[in-house]
Amino acid sequence: MSTKKIGDVILDVQNISLRFGGVKALTDISFNVREHEIRSIIGPNGAGKSSMLNCINGVYTPSEGSITFRGKTFDHMNSRQVAEMGVARTFQNLALFKGMSVLDNIMSGRNLKIKSNLLLQALRIGPAEREEIKHREFVERIIDFLEIQAYRKTPVGQLPYGLQKRVDLGRALAMEPQVLLLDEPMAGMNVEEKQDMCRFILDVNDEFGTTIVLIEHDMGVVMDISDRVVVLDYGKKIGDGAPEEVRNNEDVIRAYLGTSH
Ligand SMILES: Nc1ncnc2c1ncn2[C@@H]1O[C@H](COP(=O)(O)OP(=O)(O)O)[C@@H](O)[C@H]1O
Ligand SMILES: [Mg+2]
């Protein structure tokens, strides 16, 4: 649908399996993500989508398999290390500080980038002050980009749900990620809020060149904005390809029409 240039493989998921006690959340999953791509992961509830993102960003350690990011392969990596490598995420269930302002929540996403020691920062002297100004400016740019200037000082808990999701996106963008993992960013939104979120995702992808891995239930949205789609069902990969390819895949159609879930 677009003329954008897709690059080399930036993220390569190889033979990932994940078990929770007796539950096989993921079985031998492999797929890759190319630079600048919008790569969607779809599948019925409980298919393993969130678990897959949690493996990529180091929250879960897979029982088998490995993940390669920009040519560097890892099988054990904590979420901070993954974040430092340039992978950020938003959450299916919001993980914002409800009592804190929009500005401070987005600033909290910036913490990884803040290098001066805490004492200098607290005293706001020398390099720490210059650094703080630089970070504040960056956060203000994100606030402008997401069109939430009017709520800068508002505690996040007082905002409508759709705007809270937008702040969560802002917090992830504050990390200046190369890869952004979005777990159902449009869940629970009304049509208008969905359209806005869709536009922001496309703009982030386009203007910042950020690679996006998207979990989404709204098939219209998925078919519209994805470059390629992975389909999971009961922890297994049952489809992988361009949207129209996946849409016509017999296994995928069966999984979605199946009466079992
Ligand atoms: N922390 C956990 N502990 C135990 N089981 C889990 C945990 N997280 C996910 N699961 C199980 O793993 C399977 C996949 O879940 P999940 O990745 O959340 O699916 P999806 O995001 O596709 O709805 C489900 O059967 C779920 O119950
Ligand atoms: Mg999920």
Side-chain angles (χ1 to χ4, degrees), residues 18-21 23-26 41-54 60 92 183-184 215 217 232 235:
L18 174 72
R19 240 171 246 110
F20 295 107
V23 178
K24 284 175 110 178
L26 297 169
I41 304 177
I42 64 169
N45 274 331
K49 305 179 298 295
S50 294
S51 298
M52 191 63 246
L53 283 203
N54 282 328
Y60 295 159
Q92 184 169 357
D183 196 348
E184 301 200 24
I215 296 177
H217 271 300
L232 302 182

Side-chain angles (χ1 to χ4, degrees), residues 68-84:
T68 302
F69 182 69
R70 283 205 186 284
K72 193 173 173 334
T73 300
F74 55 93
D75 48 15
H76 295 289
M77 178 111 70
N78 66 40
S79 32
R80 187 182 171 96
Q81 289 169 314
V82 175
E84 279 171 353

Side-chain angles (χ1 to χ4, degrees), residues 137-155:
E137 281 170 359
F138 188 83
V139 166
E140 293 293 350
R141 289 225 305 277
I142 292 173
I143 287 174
D144 286 349
F145 175 79
L146 294 176
E147 299 165 12
I148 45 180
Q149 301 92 330
Y151 317 104
R152 290 168 72 257
K153 300 283 186 194
T154 309

